[in-house]
Amino acid sequence: MRVCTVSWVKPWAHPQHPWGEAGSSGTLLTPSSLHTPGPCRYPKLFPLSCPPLQDSPPRPKHMTVAFLKTHKTAGTTVQNILFRFAERHNLTVALPHPSCEHQFCYPRNFSAHFVHPATRPPHVLASHLRFDRAELQRLMPPGTVYVTILREPAAMFESLFSYYNQYCPAFRRVPNASLEAFLRAPEAYYRAGEHFAMFAHNTLAYDLGGDNERSPRDDDAYLAGLIRQVEEVFSLVMIAEYFDESLVLLRRLLAWDLDDREARELREARERLLRRCFGDEPVLRPAAQIRTKQLQPWQPSRKVDIMGYDLPSGRAGPATEACLKLAMPEVQYSSYLLRKQKRRGGMRLRPEPVLDNPPPRPIRALRPGH
């Protein structure tokens, strides 16, 4: 198999931000998971290094994909694409057990036991988890392609600080929720081992299954080993700052017949889709102003307002239903997929048993059957 990759550097070792990497309703083909408090101050650091395919014979679509969805990197948008592709081709999507909510019991190490039995064996996996190579290989079929996405560390950390301000203890300790105050003296607020401490210190290393307490300043060999492991496992490392270009590489890798041949055409297709579903001038709205309940993005706290789109009033029919499914946020669409896969497998829609020793829940519980 010919593998196209995006060139990337050590994303968790930014020299100006040794304490981490700096969101989040995803509309299809819109990298809106990039929840950025302010304008990006950094140039694009990751040039593409994949020559175009020339005179290559058609290949069958690759139908088994495991996407490691990292935090605050536009991963929700990639997840949306994978979910819709899976539904269109009647593939089984691995979804979390209800005790894990809509993540695979993150921040615990991933286990195949965290997967809902109605969604096994899967073709596609794309929900948040902490990477564990052996467990994923036990779950996914042979020949599965592994993909992940990274983001420039400083911008990622800004997004993490804003989004998880009420969940990460280190962030809660900062007076006036000041990012500047945290960066001046991170050791005054950070406590290793606290629940969700990884959001304040080397989040990408943690998501990739590494030890986020190992500093590249003190242990270059460990970091080099972690990078080698990533390169061995992942056929494509997407880069958020080159999101459209990364999608083109993903299409080539998986031999998918998306409507994009080049990044420019992909952007044009995205604009057409937005206009078709949301009118000539799509407007991002706060969740409280979105009338369509299925499109209301989850809000991590009162201090963060995650925006989304609403369907124009007065529309009905198959086209509107298609737009609703394309724009549905992660939590609602995951629930929809689970109900659909249960019906396909002949399972009764009933309350699920609770896992032994369930992890603390990072988000609110969903209502039964929601």
Side-chain angles (χ1 to χ4, degrees):
M1 177 185 290
R2 179 182 187 274
V3 175
C4 295
T5 60
V6 176
S7 297
W8 56 287
V9 297
K10 301 174 183 178
W12 47 81
H14 194 284
Q16 297 182 23
H17 290 269
W19 280 78
E21 316 87 350
S24 177
S25 169
T27 300
L28 185 63
L29 298 180
T30 303
S32 51
S33 292
L34 292 177
H35 171 70
T36 50
C40 180
R41 301 189 299 271
Y42 298 91
K44 293 180 177 180
L45 303 176
F46 313 100
L48 294 173
S49 62
C50 182
L53 297 177
Q54 295 180 353
D55 301 324
S56 297
R59 293 185 290 124
K61 295 183 182 74
H62 199 93
M63 298 295 195
T64 53
V65 185
F67 173 63
L68 176 60
K69 184 187 177 195
T70 50
H71 287 83
K72 315 317 298 173
T73 58
T76 297
T77 307
V78 182
Q79 179 195 58
N80 285 342
I81 296 170
L82 294 172
F83 277 1
R84 273 71 177 179
F85 179 89
E87 184 184 10
R88 188 161 62 250
H89 291 84
N90 202 33
L91 304 178
T92 299
V93 177
L95 295 170
H97 190 283
S99 293
C100 295
E101 297 295 349
H102 69 285
Q103 305 179 10
F104 288 111
C105 287
Y106 187 92
R108 290 168 65 179
N109 288 347
F110 176 76
S111 167
H113 296 296
F114 297 160
V115 180
H116 194 291
T119 67
R120 298 178 62 171
H123 300 90
V124 174
L125 177 145
S127 298
H128 275 306
L129 57 85
R130 188 183 188 204
F131 186 73
D132 187 300
R133 183 177 185 176
E135 283 294 306
L136 281 169
Q137 289 178 338
R138 186 160 73 92
L139 173 72
M140 301 300 296
T144 294
V145 170
Y146 289 83
V147 177
T148 191
I149 185 167
L150 307 180
R151 182 182 178 188
E152 193 278 317
M156 179 183 172
F157 189 79
E158 288 184 66
S159 186
L160 286 166
F161 187 87
S162 174
Y163 193 84
Y164 292 108
N165 193 268
Q166 299 303 302
Y167 291 106
C168 177
F171 297 161
R172 289 202 305 264
R173 295 187 183 100
V174 182
N176 302 316
S178 169
L179 175 60
E180 291 75 15
F182 180 86
L183 293 177
R184 280 196 299 268
E187 65 282 351
Y189 309 105
Y190 180 75
R191 309 283 189 277
E194 289 183 322
H195 197 56
F196 298 136
M198 77 293 301
F199 291 137
H201 192 189
N202 294 330
T203 311
L204 280 176
Y206 187 88
D207 286 353
L208 289 164
D211 183 353
N212 61 317
E213 297 300 330
R214 301 280 284 271
S215 170
R217 293 176 173 177
D218 304 324
D219 196 346
D220 284 341
Y222 176 78
L223 181 61
L226 179 59
I227 292 174
R228 282 196 301 271
Q229 292 176 30
V230 171
E231 292 175 336
E232 289 173 2
V233 173
F234 292 97
S235 297
L236 174 64
V237 177
M238 304 174 70
I239 297 299
E241 285 75 14
Y242 280 89
F243 189 82
D244 291 344
E245 292 86 346
S246 293
L247 284 183
V248 173
L249 296 184
L250 180 65
R251 182 195 72 81
R252 292 176 179 175
L253 175 65
L254 302 176
W256 288 4
D257 54 353
L258 301 180
D259 292 333
D260 58 299
R261 290 293 175 176
E262 298 295 339
R264 177 179 55 80
E265 294 180 15
L266 176 61
R267 296 184 187 104
E268 293 174 355
R270 180 174 63 216
E271 293 304 316
R272 289 195 299 270
L273 175 63
L274 285 171
R275 287 194 297 271
R276 178 165 65 93
C277 288
F278 302 103
D280 292 336
E281 296 184 3
V283 178
L284 278 171
R285 305 176 186 276
Q289 296 180 15
I290 297 176
R291 299 180 303 273
T292 308
K293 186 176 181 181
Q294 298 99 312
L295 298 183
Q296 293 175 352
W298 174 75
Q299 304 298 304
S301 73
R302 294 180 180 179
K303 296 185 178 182
V304 178
D305 194 2
I306 304 302
M307 312 281 278
Y309 293 101
D310 200 1
L311 296 177
S313 58
R315 291 189 180 182
T320 299
E321 289 298 316
C323 287
L324 179 66
K325 287 167 61 177
L326 286 172
M328 196 178 293
E330 174 186 5
V331 175
Q332 291 94 319
Y333 198 80
S334 295
S335 298
Y336 159 76
L337 275 182
L338 179 57
R339 291 194 298 269
K340 183 174 182 178
Q341 291 180 168
K342 280 183 176 181
R343 287 193 295 267
R344 188 174 68 196
M347 294 185 66
R348 293 175 56 195
L349 300 180
R350 61 181 183 274
E352 302 292 341
V354 177
L355 287 175
D356 294 334
N357 189 28
R361 296 182 172 184
I363 66 169
R364 67 187 180 189
L366 297 178
R367 296 187 296 277
H370 186 66

